[in-house]
Short mmCIF file of all heavy atoms in Angstrom, two decimals:
data_model
loop_
_atom_site.label_atom_id
_atom_site.label_comp_id
_atom_site.label_asym_id
_atom_site.label_seq_id
_atom_site.Cartn_x
_atom_site.Cartn_y
_atom_site.Cartn_z
N GLN A 287 -90.09 30.44 -185.99
CA GLN A 287 -88.65 30.51 -186.24
C GLN A 287 -87.93 29.31 -185.64
O GLN A 287 -87.06 28.69 -186.27
CB GLN A 287 -88.08 31.79 -185.63
CG GLN A 287 -88.38 33.06 -186.38
CD GLN A 287 -87.64 34.24 -185.79
OE1 GLN A 287 -86.42 34.23 -185.68
NE2 GLN A 287 -88.38 35.26 -185.39
N ALA A 288 -88.30 28.96 -184.41
CA ALA A 288 -87.65 27.83 -183.75
C ALA A 288 -87.89 26.54 -184.51
O ALA A 288 -86.97 25.73 -184.70
CB ALA A 288 -88.15 27.71 -182.31
N ALA A 289 -89.13 26.32 -184.96
CA ALA A 289 -89.43 25.11 -185.71
C ALA A 289 -88.67 25.09 -187.03
O ALA A 289 -88.14 24.04 -187.45
CB ALA A 289 -90.94 25.01 -185.95
N LEU A 290 -88.61 26.25 -187.72
CA LEU A 290 -87.89 26.31 -188.99
C LEU A 290 -86.40 26.04 -188.79
O LEU A 290 -85.79 25.25 -189.52
CB LEU A 290 -88.13 27.67 -189.63
CG LEU A 290 -87.49 27.91 -191.01
CD1 LEU A 290 -88.43 28.72 -191.89
CD2 LEU A 290 -86.16 28.66 -190.88
N LEU A 291 -85.79 26.69 -187.80
CA LEU A 291 -84.36 26.49 -187.56
C LEU A 291 -84.06 25.05 -187.14
O LEU A 291 -83.04 24.49 -187.53
CB LEU A 291 -83.88 27.47 -186.49
CG LEU A 291 -83.85 28.95 -186.92
CD1 LEU A 291 -83.56 29.84 -185.72
CD2 LEU A 291 -82.81 29.17 -188.01
N HIS A 292 -84.94 24.49 -186.35
CA HIS A 292 -84.76 23.09 -185.95
C HIS A 292 -84.72 22.17 -187.17
O HIS A 292 -83.84 21.30 -187.30
CB HIS A 292 -85.89 22.69 -185.01
CG HIS A 292 -85.68 21.37 -184.34
ND1 HIS A 292 -86.50 20.89 -183.35
CD2 HIS A 292 -84.73 20.41 -184.52
CE1 HIS A 292 -86.07 19.71 -182.95
NE2 HIS A 292 -85.00 19.39 -183.65
N GLY A 293 -85.66 22.37 -188.08
CA GLY A 293 -85.67 21.54 -189.29
C GLY A 293 -84.45 21.76 -190.16
O GLY A 293 -83.86 20.81 -190.69
N LEU A 294 -84.01 23.01 -190.30
CA LEU A 294 -82.85 23.29 -191.13
C LEU A 294 -81.56 22.77 -190.51
O LEU A 294 -80.64 22.34 -191.23
CB LEU A 294 -82.74 24.79 -191.39
CG LEU A 294 -83.91 25.43 -192.16
CD1 LEU A 294 -83.62 26.88 -192.47
CD2 LEU A 294 -84.22 24.66 -193.43
N VAL A 295 -81.47 22.81 -189.19
CA VAL A 295 -80.29 22.23 -188.52
C VAL A 295 -80.19 20.75 -188.83
O VAL A 295 -79.11 20.22 -189.10
CB VAL A 295 -80.37 22.48 -187.00
CG1 VAL A 295 -79.36 21.62 -186.25
CG2 VAL A 295 -80.12 23.95 -186.69
N GLU A 296 -81.32 20.07 -188.81
CA GLU A 296 -81.30 18.64 -189.12
C GLU A 296 -80.91 18.39 -190.57
O GLU A 296 -80.20 17.43 -190.87
CB GLU A 296 -82.67 18.04 -188.81
CG GLU A 296 -83.00 18.03 -187.33
CD GLU A 296 -84.36 17.41 -187.03
OE1 GLU A 296 -85.23 17.44 -187.92
OE2 GLU A 296 -84.54 16.91 -185.91
N VAL A 297 -81.38 19.24 -191.48
CA VAL A 297 -81.01 19.08 -192.89
C VAL A 297 -79.51 19.24 -193.07
O VAL A 297 -78.85 18.43 -193.73
CB VAL A 297 -81.79 20.08 -193.76
CG1 VAL A 297 -81.26 20.07 -195.19
CG2 VAL A 297 -83.27 19.76 -193.76
N VAL A 298 -78.92 20.30 -192.50
CA VAL A 298 -77.48 20.54 -192.64
C VAL A 298 -76.69 19.42 -191.98
O VAL A 298 -75.64 19.00 -192.48
CB VAL A 298 -77.11 21.91 -192.05
CG1 VAL A 298 -75.60 22.13 -192.06
CG2 VAL A 298 -77.80 23.02 -192.84
N ALA A 299 -77.19 18.91 -190.84
CA ALA A 299 -76.48 17.82 -190.17
C ALA A 299 -76.49 16.55 -191.02
O ALA A 299 -75.55 15.74 -190.95
CB ALA A 299 -77.12 17.54 -188.81
N MET A 300 -77.53 16.35 -191.84
CA MET A 300 -77.61 15.15 -192.68
C MET A 300 -76.83 15.28 -193.98
O MET A 300 -76.58 14.29 -194.65
CB MET A 300 -79.09 14.83 -192.97
CG MET A 300 -79.87 14.31 -191.79
SD MET A 300 -81.54 13.78 -192.22
CE MET A 300 -82.36 15.35 -192.49
#
Side-chain angles (χ1 to χ4, degrees):
Q287 285 186 57
L290 182 142
L291 290 172
H292 190 173
L294 297 186
V295 166
E296 293 181 334
V297 171
V298 174
M300 289 187 287

